[in-house]
Amino acid sequence: MEKIEVALGERSYDILIAGRLIDRAAEYLAPLARDGRLIVLSDENVWRALGARLERGLGDIAAIPILVPAGEQSKSWTGLETVVDALLANEIERKDHVVAFGGGVIGDLAGFASAIVNRGCNFVQIPTSLLAQVDSSVGGKTGISVAAGKNLVGAFHQPSLVLIDPSLLDTLEARQVRAGYAEIAKYALIEDAAFFDWLESEAEKVMTGDPAARTRAIATAVAGKARIVEEDERETSGRRALLNLGHTFGHALEAETGYSDRLLHGEAVALGCVLAFDFSVARGLCGAPDAAHVREHFRSVGLPTTLAELGLQGEGERLAAHMQHDKKRSAGRTAFILARGIGEAFVDTSVDLADVAAFLDRVQ
Ligand SMILES: NC(=O)c1ccc[n+]([C@@H]2O[C@H](COP(=O)([O-])OP(=O)(O)OC[C@H]3O[C@@H](n4cnc5c(N)ncnc54)[C@H](O)[C@@H]3O)[C@@H](O)[C@H]2O)c1
Ligand SMILES: [Zn+2]
């Protein structure tokens, strides 16, 4: 069992990582249940695949499931209203813990609902997608998407416990595993070159479900994110912004493809990292061999690495225009996470969007 502590004063919590952890969920959740029951928010897909298993793992604790349709559309005002009403109908109290059992959509939605219902109750994350296990379940960013854009309404609300069971990924589609993997590699590219070396030799095992390799990859990425969150919980110093490596380019790609199945978030992040490294080379910040390594690695695991394969070549203007609306803009400038090499990312606020557009028009 790996145990990672997130030290945030009175908002501190543990992240436990172990295969088959879910099968003894009662051990960790019994102290958090009131009157022997726990409200569990999940999506219909996840509940169909794994609900019975969670219920067995909960033993004597009765799960009260609140289910929403699978997919991003549940992370909306309507989804939030449904969930908050259901929590209130189940007489949720402030000291209660809502269990988020699903991917990033469920984690973000359950977290935000917990932040606002009764002016705030507690929640626990049991992430079931690789993306949620390595990224969205840790750090306390919660929220929904609205007409003006993705993730534009939300709150910082830390969970009280995160239980990560890599064996839950056995029912996850391969494409979703690859998308989640992109966030693991992203973390390595930010500040851990030795981890990137390890991923270059072990990625295949992580992809195909080798339990030891998966646990190690997840634990390394989560521990890294936890340290960054401890230093900059609300993304004010710039340190947490490093986690957006590949995301400014990635969000533009997601916006351009309509946040659809054409391009999953993690796929956008993979190509976004490749572009961030190429752009760093173009600005004379990073050596070309490092950028080539990054591209080759994502390509080798089956993630997109060129604009051409998305049919987005020569769309520099349009892509840069999406960056103008990035919510992380400050004083009218878009902060870019660029790199001096693998494991050496930094925040650059001096980037001109016209240069980005010209660069995107030039690259493959
Ligand atoms: N809060 C944060 O810090 C943060 C960070 C990154 C991403 N996010 C958010 O996370 C969301 C994406 O998360 P996601 O990729 O997990 O998407 P998701 O929650 O939609 O899950 C992807 C799909 O996989 C299914 N699924 C999940 N686990 C499964 C399992 N074990 N077996 C079978 N099917 C399973 C889901 O039903 C869904 O259809 C986005 O909304 C993004 O904005 C948040
Ligand atoms: Zn991401």
Side-chain angles (χ1 to χ4, degrees):
M1 162 97 71
E2 301 265 356
K3 177 171 158 180
I4 296 160
E5 229 183 293
V6 188
L8 291 169
E10 57 185 21
R11 293 180 307 288
S12 297
Y13 54 99
D14 287 343
I15 303 165
L16 307 180
I17 308 173
R20 317 214 65 88
L21 191 56
I22 190 85
D23 300 323
R24 41 198 176 90
E27 223 174 283
Y28 306 97
L29 296 179
L32 308 181
R34 175 167 59 91
D35 300 333
R37 48 161 234 168
L38 273 174
I39 299 176
V40 179
L41 178 67
S42 191
D43 76 34
E44 284 158 3
N45 261 350
V46 170
W47 195 252
R48 199 177 316 115
L50 296 164
R53 191 168 161 203
L54 176 65
E55 284 184 315
R56 273 196 306 278
L58 286 173
D60 292 339
I61 306 169
I64 302 172
I66 297 176
L67 303 183
V68 297
E72 291 288 337
Q73 75 278 7
S74 287
K75 237 181 85 175
S76 59
W77 287 119
T78 329
L80 181 69
E81 184 177 19
T82 308
V83 170
V84 169
D85 283 346
L87 292 174
L88 292 169
N90 282 290
E91 295 172 348
I92 186 91
E93 293 182 11
R94 275 198 185 158
K95 285 187 177 152
D96 288 348
H97 291 76
V98 175
V99 177
F101 186 58
V105 164
I106 290 300
D108 283 10
L109 182 60
F112 189 36
S114 308
I116 60 175
V117 73
N118 290 339
R119 299 206 174 83
C121 70
N122 303 301
F123 82 116
V124 173
Q125 292 267 21
I126 307 183
T128 64
S129 69
L130 183 56
L131 183 130
Q133 295 195 344
V134 299
D135 193 354
S136 61
S137 65
V138 172
K141 282 191 183 175
T142 74
I144 58 170
S145 300
V146 296
K150 220 187 149 203
N151 297 332
L152 288 184
V153 173
F156 285 98
H157 186 46
Q158 300 290 346
S160 346
L161 176 69
V162 184
L163 299 180
I164 298 179
D165 179 348
S167 80
L168 295 176
L169 305 176
D170 293 347
T171 55
L172 189 67
E173 283 175 14
R175 185 180 176 197
Q176 296 284 353
V177 173
R178 285 196 294 276
Y181 177 82
E183 302 276 11
I184 297 179
K186 172 203 77 176
Y187 169 69
L189 292 174
I190 291 170
E191 63 169 14
D192 196 340
F195 182 38
F196 190 77
D197 284 348
W198 182 83
L199 289 174
E200 283 193 302
S201 67
E202 306 297 314
E204 187 59 32
K205 288 188 192 155
V206 177
M207 291 301 178
T208 52
D210 175 89
R214 265 199 182 159
T215 301
R216 176 159 172 195
I218 293 168
T220 307
V222 164
K225 178 165 182 181
R227 296 295 80 84
I228 291 175
V229 168
E230 281 175 351
E231 287 169 41
D232 183 19
E233 185 182 3
R234 289 179 171 242
E235 206 168 314
T236 43
S237 75
R239 178 102 174 98
R240 186 164 181 171
L242 292 175
L243 293 168
N244 297 326
L245 175 64
H247 281 62
T248 305
F249 287 105
H251 285 152
L253 299 167
E254 287 184 276
E256 187 60 24
T257 49
Y259 294 98
S260 65
D261 279 357
R262 229 177 111 194
L263 187 68
L264 300 178
H265 174 73
E267 294 168 343
V269 168
L271 177 49
C273 286
V274 170
L275 293 170
F277 270 78
D278 282 350
F279 188 56
S280 300
V281 172
R283 286 170 75 83
L285 295 162
C286 173
D290 274 14
H293 249 98
V294 173
R295 185 185 296 268
E296 175 48 28
H297 183 62
F298 284 121
R299 200 198 54 75
S300 75
V301 297
L303 283 159
T305 56
T306 62
L307 291 172
E309 63 198 278
L310 300 176
L312 293 177
Q313 242 174 331
E315 297 287 357
E317 287 293 333
R318 292 180 59 87
L319 291 170
H322 290 300
M323 297 175 185
Q324 202 113 39
H325 307 296
D326 199 287
K327 72 174 172 303
K328 281 155 192 137
R329 275 165 75 83
S330 140
R333 295 205 77 92
T334 303
F336 278 80
I337 314 306
L338 301 181
R340 296 192 176 87
I342 288 171
E344 295 174 65
F346 69 99
V347 183
D348 192 335
T349 50
S350 73
V351 174
D352 212 322
L353 281 183
D355 292 344
V356 177
F359 159 76
L360 289 171
D361 272 337
R362 272 199 319 274
V363 288
Q364 263 204 317

